[in-house]
Amino acid sequence: MDLGTLWFWLLGVLLAGYAVLDGFDLGVGILHPLAKSDEDRNVLVKTIGPLWDGNEVWLVTFGGALFAAFPEAYATAFSGFYVPFMLLLFALIFRAVSVEFRHKFAHRRWRRVCDWGFTLSSSLAALLFGTAVGASIDGVPLNARGIFVGSLVDELSPYALLIGGLAVAAFALHGAMFLRLKTIGELRERITRWAWGCYWIYLAAFLLATGLTLAFVPHATRNFQGFPWAGLVVVLNLLALANVPRCLMRDRPREGFLSSGGTIAALVFLFGVALYPNMIVSNPNPAHSLTIENAASSDSTLALMAGIAAIGLPFIAAYTFIVYWTFRGPVTPEDAATHH
Amino acid sequence: MDVLLLSRLQFALTIMFHYLFPPLTIGLSVVMVYLEGMHLWTKDGRYHAAAKFWTGLFGATFALGVVTGIVMEFEFGTNWAAYSRYVGDVFGSALAAEGIFAFFLESGFLAVLLFGWDRVGPKTHFFATCMVCLGGMFSAVWIVIANSWQQTPAGFALVEREINGIVYQRAEITDFWAMLTNPSAAHRLIHVYLGSFVLGAFFVLSVSAWYLLKNRHAEFARRSFTGGLLLATTASLAQLVSGHLQAQNVAEHQPAKLAAFEGLYRTEQPAPLYLFGWPDDERREVRFGLAVPGGLSFLVHEDFETAVPGLDDLKEDYGEPPVWITFQTYHLMVAIGMLFIGATLLTSWWRWRGTLWEKKWVLRFYVGAVALAFLANEAGWVAAEVGRQPWVVYPSLIDGELMGGLRTSDALSEAVEASQVLWSIIMFALIDLLLFAVWVSVLHTKITRGPDWDFPESAAAEGNMKGLLDAAADRPDHDRSLTEAKDGGRENEGGGRRDGSPPGTS
């Protein structure tokens, strides 16, 4: 495997890490208004309190690594998707403020504003991520230099928005599965009902997206001929998808959480398969696409960065383990009543 | 309005807002490491309470540093796509290294630091605090290296590449070590660290002085003030040395920036050093100025005679930065630095003599002085960034030959329109205002609430059973307080008494 391809998949790992980890805390935000009492909402926010910031670092690092490994792709995507990315920043900032400062003032009205900020920004962020993925699969107009020449309409195609909806549903389900790990008692039973609802919505969106991709985006599935083993991921994805209701019925929260995370990781992987060897697909003129080859940094920089990643990743795994281990176990309403 | 001006405004707004927070968190994290270390060493619960108090203020600030930082990473791509294409190979690597080496460390242990008081033992907590401090410092290393590379590029070559037959040029790393140790990186990093320590120290001084004036938490405030004063004095003095060395570095590698710092339109021999003045581009001179004759010659060359090149001679190779802004921000930074050196030395003298606490006007000065510390950090940043214009990547002398840099006007995104940038500026200006207001009121709330100062020494401060037992073993004379401590500890572990008036200190 050449260095460019290695970095293509390493970026996939960072993106999958982001989607699985931040996915559940975005999901908690999406589900947040379903909690009726202030006490329940405190518990929900508390479950992700120590974790969301570390999860978001995966996005920051993904951005930095994309910049370094594929500067052309980074520059084209970020400047081309100007409006969606600005809205995403807006959402991420609001979200951070809502979570971090929710408890800092005693006013009820402030808390209501934060609650709504949390939900709207989480939903908007999930929608925009999914939409960006959808637009990438679908392709956007690029000129011969690999610069975006389309308009907002090209980024917000119905297909892209559908993938955006799929992301919202996937994160909501993942968030519910996470909350089942982190709550107890009557709240947990209600969350189980939310999880069922999320599951059916997600399943419907998943089937619709799969059908439309097969029917209207032929280039997205072309790679399965070259890499038949990628079909294995599809099978694993379906198994994980089928495992979610089983875990809900048999009450196996940990396995259920891993399953919902597994389907998200599988979707990110399939996104990679659909894209490879392109970084940004040009549509309607595929010859203008930015590929691993023409978007990458120099080989020496890619090798250097691979070294940096090889040193860094074991540490990152260790920090992640320490944090999740320190904050293991459910959050009780008493825990939720204290704030740092 | 054109895209260039708007994009520059947007970046200036973003970075200046962002730069309020990281220096403060770096400075405060050093204070926290000290306090928690002292607590472990002495088992004195007051250190613990103090550490917890500053950590609360740190947490609120850190969150804003993170979200405003993400904005910048995005803006490189959204607004400066041509720049990203040009420097991705070099600058991108430093940014990615920051993510991998610093952000994960910082954010991982931040969770333990902020939420882990009653989940991990005091030693583990101390370790987490050290890691957060280290993470912040590492982060500064990579960012300052990346920025310094743009100021004094090294270890790279301009290489021709092609996309679909279109040939373009970009910078590629040829020597990673030379890129990391580019000529200005070490000087600038030390300057940034010292600026952070000064800001952290003045923040502590401000809060402590306010308590002393209000006659609240008096013991806490006196001890914090003394510690903050020590840090402020040493960091301010060290900053003088660092600033001097850095100015010499600028003179060597970015001569046009130095000329703009000092309003030196024409080459002069000997060159004067202005204490203040009003650079006038039309007349090509500094008006209403007060200058030390030969001062600049001395500063740069350590003798009063040698010529220092002025902008008229440098313009051809380096272009001319906006002189007025560069001059004023640079002089503001230096003036505040000098004021801090004088003030902290004098205050240290009074503190040593034991007459400080009666001087209310001194305390009043320190309540407000933190704003000057913020201003000095911002002004230094502006001087450094505006001073390198019209370049985003400065031209560099490599093997005796001047290699062209990248002009700011050539760094813009091709695909972005002025209207898009304009509405995003408005959006960010509004959200920044909101964030600032929230941040200030959160700090206000936390400061008004104050530290949980007079816990019965260490036992309750541990907040958990293990801590209680440890403390009981260490200090049998505190048995009496254990039962109270247990209840008191739980009640207070949320980080403060709600009534804001800890008994005994008010």
Side-chain angles (χ1 to χ4, degrees), chain B residues 384-450:
Chain B
E385 295 292 274
V386 176
R388 73 172 151 159
Q389 298 303 324
W391 306 94
V392 61
V393 180
Y394 213 72
S396 50
L397 270 176
I398 290 184
D399 300 330
E401 219 171 301
L402 193 69
M403 189 139 82
L406 179 71
R407 281 179 184 277
T408 310
S409 53
D410 294 331
L412 280 172
S413 295
E414 308 84 347
V416 175
E417 290 156 20
S419 60
Q420 291 175 320
V421 185
L422 185 64
W423 77 252
S424 63
I425 292 182
I426 296 172
M427 185 178 83
F428 279 117
L430 290 176
I431 202 168
D432 285 356
L433 272 176
L434 174 81
L435 288 182
F436 190 75
V438 171
W439 179 62
V440 169
S441 35
V442 167
L443 291 190
H444 180 77
T445 312
K446 281 180 179 280
I447 292 170
T448 317
R449 192 189 290 157

Side-chain angles (χ1 to χ4, degrees), chain A residues 37-100:
Chain A
S37 72
D38 208 37
E39 195 181 43
D40 286 353
R41 282 194 290 266
N42 284 346
V43 172
L44 259 51
V45 173
K46 192 83 176 181
T47 61
I48 63 159
L51 305 176
W52 74 268
D53 179 48
N55 295 340
E56 215 163 277
V57 170
W58 288 80
L59 175 70
V60 176
T61 307
F62 171 81
L66 181 67
F67 190 179
F70 301 101
E72 289 292 328
Y74 169 80
T76 294
F78 277 63
S79 60
F81 293 176
Y82 194 88
V83 175
F85 273 136
M86 286 294 158
L87 285 176
L88 177 62
L89 279 175
F90 200 61
L92 291 178
I93 294 175
F94 254 107
R95 192 161 173 279
V97 175
S98 310
V99 177
E100 282 299 302

Side-chain angles (χ1 to χ4, degrees), chain A residues 247-259:
Chain A
C247 293
L248 283 174
M249 278 186 288
R250 300 208 174 166
D251 197 26
R252 293 184 173 168
R254 197 163 301 162
E255 205 185 305
F257 176 63
L258 291 176
S259 298

Side-chain angles (χ1 to χ4, degrees), chain A residues 7 14 46 49-69 71-83 85-90 92-94 96-97 100-101 103-105 110 143-149 287-290 293-302 304-305 307-309 311-313 315-316 319-320 322-323 325-331 335 337-340, chain B residues 10 56 59-64 66-68 70-97 99-101 103-112 114-120 127 142 161-164 166-168 170 172-174 176 413-416 420-424 427-428 431-432 434-435 437-439 441-442 445-446 449 490 493-495 498:
Chain A
W7 267 104
L14 286 173
K46 192 83 176 181
L51 305 176
W52 74 268
D53 179 48
N55 295 340
E56 215 163 277
V57 170
W58 288 80
L59 175 70
V60 176
T61 307
F62 171 81
L66 181 67
F67 190 179
E72 289 292 328
Y74 169 80
T76 294
F78 277 63
S79 60
F81 293 176
Y82 194 88
V83 175
F85 273 136
M86 286 294 158
L87 285 176
L88 177 62
L89 279 175
F90 200 61
L92 291 178
I93 294 175
F94 254 107
V97 175
E100 282 299 302
F101 296 130
H103 297 296
K104 298 291 194 279
F105 305 110
W110 170 253
N143 67 15
R145 174 66 180 80
I147 292 168
F148 179 78
V149 286
H288 293 169
S289 295
L290 285 174
E293 172 83 36
N294 67 19
S297 281
S298 61
D299 269 357
S300 59
T301 292
L302 292 176
L304 179 83
M305 296 243 312
I308 290 175
I311 298 168
L313 285 175
F315 282 101
I316 293 171
Y319 312 146
T320 311
I322 290 173
V323 175
W325 177 255
T326 304
F327 298 99
R328 67 192 181 280
V331 174
D335 290 334
T338 62
H339 316 297
H340 74 89
Chain B
Q10 187 189 42
T61 309
F62 191 92
L64 291 183
V66 172
V67 291
T68 54
I70 296 182
V71 179
M72 269 188 316
E73 188 198 39
F74 272 53
E75 279 181 7
F76 294 132
T78 50
N79 289 62
W80 305 97
Y83 158 82
S84 301
R85 295 175 207 279
Y86 184 85
V87 302
D89 200 279
V90 187
F91 186 90
S93 327
L95 207 65
I100 290 171
F101 288 141
F103 281 168
F104 279 106
L105 179 70
E106 211 172 15
S107 68
F109 286 103
L110 179 75
V112 180
L114 293 182
F115 299 86
W117 291 106
D118 50 357
R119 287 202 171 236
V120 298
F127 178 73
W142 290 105
R161 308 267 302 191
E162 65 147 285
I163 286 184
N164 300 316
I166 300 169
V167 178
Y168 68 100
R170 76 172 182 202
E172 289 185 4
I173 299 180
T174 53
F176 187 58
S413 295
E414 308 84 347
V416 175
Q420 291 175 320
V421 185
L422 185 64
W423 77 252
S424 63
M427 185 178 83
F428 279 117
I431 202 168
D432 285 356
L434 174 81
L435 288 182
V438 171
W439 179 62
S441 35
V442 167
T445 312
K446 281 180 179 280
R449 192 189 290 157
R490 280 223 72 82
E493 86 193 339
R498 303 264 130 69

Side-chain angles (χ1 to χ4, degrees), chain A residues 233-256:
Chain A
V233 178
V234 179
V235 175
L236 286 175
N237 189 11
L238 292 175
L239 285 176
L241 204 56
N243 197 35
V244 170
R246 183 175 148 273
C247 293
L248 283 174
M249 278 186 288
R250 300 208 174 166
D251 197 26
R252 293 184 173 168
R254 197 163 301 162
E255 205 185 305

Side-chain angles (χ1 to χ4, degrees), chain A residues 1 57 66 140 191-192 210 269 293 297 299 321 332:
Chain A
M1 185 162 31
V57 170
L66 181 67
V140 289
I191 288 168
T192 305
T210 309
F269 179 79
E293 172 83 36
S297 281
D299 269 357
F321 176 78
T332 62

